[in-house]
Amino acid sequence: MIYISEEESAALVTHELAFEAARKALVAAASGRSWVFPAVLGRTQEATNTFSVKSGSSDDLTGVKIGSFWSGNPARGLPRHNSTIVLLDQHSGQLSAIIEAGKVNAYRTAAADAVAADLLARKRAKVLAIFGAGNQAGFEVMAVARIRPIETVLVVARPSPQLDAFVDQIGEKGLDARAALPEEAVRAADIVVTVTPSREPLFDAAWVGPGTHIVSMGSDAPGKRELPSELFPRARLFCDLLSQSVQIGEFQHVRDDIDGGVLAVTPIGDVVEKRAPGRRFDYEITVFDSSGISLQDLYMADALIRAKASHH
């Protein structure tokens, strides 16, 4: 049985490793030879402590990811988010690996958005608007800045010391970062990433200019919503996994239109494998719903196990 601790996985993970693992996971998700089972959302007596169990299997991997969010952890000097990946042996079903993946999870989520942005955002995208200034937002910025020539980052969040610290943190990475209002940010953006727990649209569809690429990352439970649905008929729509996207992702709010064939959604894995086109024209608006799938965790675990082996 392989065990990788939080300290070890945090030291092994890179944006490059995560990008390749996410790419494989998204291809597997679109292949028809993998399964992603419904996410189980749980909580404790303390209602603000929640956890999720995401499971899946592909040709070569089987397992589960347990994610937890304990709201009072910062007071204990601990991160709110934790994540553990458990792999089962394909042949015997016995435990084959346990990977503590708290920090890894942030890389994994951002990597899927970068894989999609690499296929959908305009090649010369320079301005990134990000809604949210939490822990995940920084990983999203760096993952996108790796694959596009981002110069300016416009941060939309409530005024707070956390926002100021986030803007400074992005500035230290050599990017021009500043706080912005929603309309200003969306109108100026080549790429918009929403990283919030919102339950209502964060901006107006009319503000979105031609050629913009938009990612909803925060919508990962029933009732969550970050994007204005009015945008969808004038955009091309993509997702990590449609069955999950219409249940817990951004497209839950337009499920009837998708079921009825009014809106078409393309799995991003089909674009990676060239079964479907990504961005075709500079003026197209593209939307990627990143609901976060268990296969990303399984392929991340596999990549970390290989990285550990090659380090020894």
Side-chain angles (χ1 to χ4, degrees):
M1 208 274 299
I2 298 162
Y3 170 69
I4 300 181
S5 69
E6 176 65 32
E7 195 177 32
E8 208 175 356
S9 68
L12 288 168
V13 70
T14 62
H15 282 294
E16 289 78 3
L17 176 146
F19 186 92
E20 286 311 314
R23 200 164 174 274
K24 284 182 186 169
L26 292 165
V27 166
S31 71
R33 293 179 56 93
S34 66
W35 289 267
V36 170
F37 305 103
V40 175
L41 305 175
R43 46 161 284 218
T44 67
Q45 282 171 316
E46 191 70 47
T48 54
N49 295 343
T50 59
F51 61 94
S52 66
V53 181
K54 291 184 170 181
S55 59
S57 65
S58 70
D59 276 352
D60 34 19
L61 296 168
T62 300
V64 301
K65 187 273 283 277
I66 303 149
S68 64
F69 179 86
W70 254 239
S71 58
N73 271 2
R76 300 182 190 97
L78 296 168
R80 287 189 181 93
H81 287 275
N82 273 293
S83 187
T84 306
I85 308 166
V86 178
L87 294 184
L88 301 180
D89 184 278
Q90 285 284 77
H91 306 291
S92 67
Q94 290 176 300
L95 193 57
S96 69
I98 293 182
I99 290 116
E100 292 185 35
K103 188 167 191 183
V104 160
N105 197 66
Y107 279 90
R108 152 257 192 224
T109 301
D113 300 338
V115 169
D118 200 26
L119 297 163
L120 301 176
R122 286 177 297 185
K123 290 278 179 268
R124 293 181 300 283
K126 291 187 179 70
V127 180
L128 170 63
I130 189 142
F131 282 74
N135 178 54
Q136 185 62 36
F139 290 91
E140 299 288 329
V141 171
M142 296 326 294
V144 171
R146 247 192 84 234
I147 53 113
R148 286 295 182 273
I150 301 298
E151 292 170 5
T152 307
V153 181
L154 303 174
V155 186
V156 183
R158 269 187 231 102
S160 71
Q162 185 182 6
L163 170 59
D164 299 339
F166 181 74
V167 167
D168 290 347
Q169 175 201 329
I170 301 304
E172 281 163 18
K173 307 277 193 202
L175 297 167
D176 174 28
R178 61 186 173 84
L181 294 169
E183 181 170 0
E184 174 203 1
V186 172
R187 286 191 185 276
D190 298 306
I191 300 173
V192 177
V193 184
T194 58
V195 195
T196 75
S198 178
R199 290 181 170 267
E200 59 211 28
L202 297 164
F203 55 87
D204 192 316
W207 304 341
V208 178
T212 310
H213 172 62
I214 296 170
V215 185
S216 163
M217 185 243 103
S219 297
D220 59 356
K224 289 196 177 181
R225 182 176 209 166
E226 298 183 298
L227 308 183
S229 299
E230 299 78 27
L231 176 67
F232 301 156
R234 42 183 275 249
R236 292 187 57 227
L237 311 181
F238 301 84
C239 67
D240 45 17
L241 184 73
L242 189 56
S243 59
Q244 186 173 283
S245 178
V246 296
Q247 283 199 289
I248 63 172
E250 192 60 40
F251 296 143
Q252 63 183 284
H253 307 289
V254 288
R255 188 173 188 165
D256 291 349
D257 287 347
I258 292 167
D259 289 346
V262 178
L263 292 176
V265 183
T266 304
I268 198 72
D270 282 345
V271 182
V272 176
E273 293 288 87
K274 301 192 169 37
R275 288 189 293 266
R279 171 171 293 277
R280 297 170 306 187
F281 315 111
D282 262 3
Y283 57 79
E284 281 184 324
I285 295 170
T286 53
V287 174
F288 177 61
D289 180 30
S290 182
S291 64
I293 51 174
S294 54
L295 295 171
Q296 289 164 242
D297 303 295
L298 305 188
Y299 282 90
M300 279 298 280
D302 189 56
L304 290 164
I305 290 166
R306 289 166 196 264
K308 179 177 172 160
S310 70
H311 278 234
H312 285 288

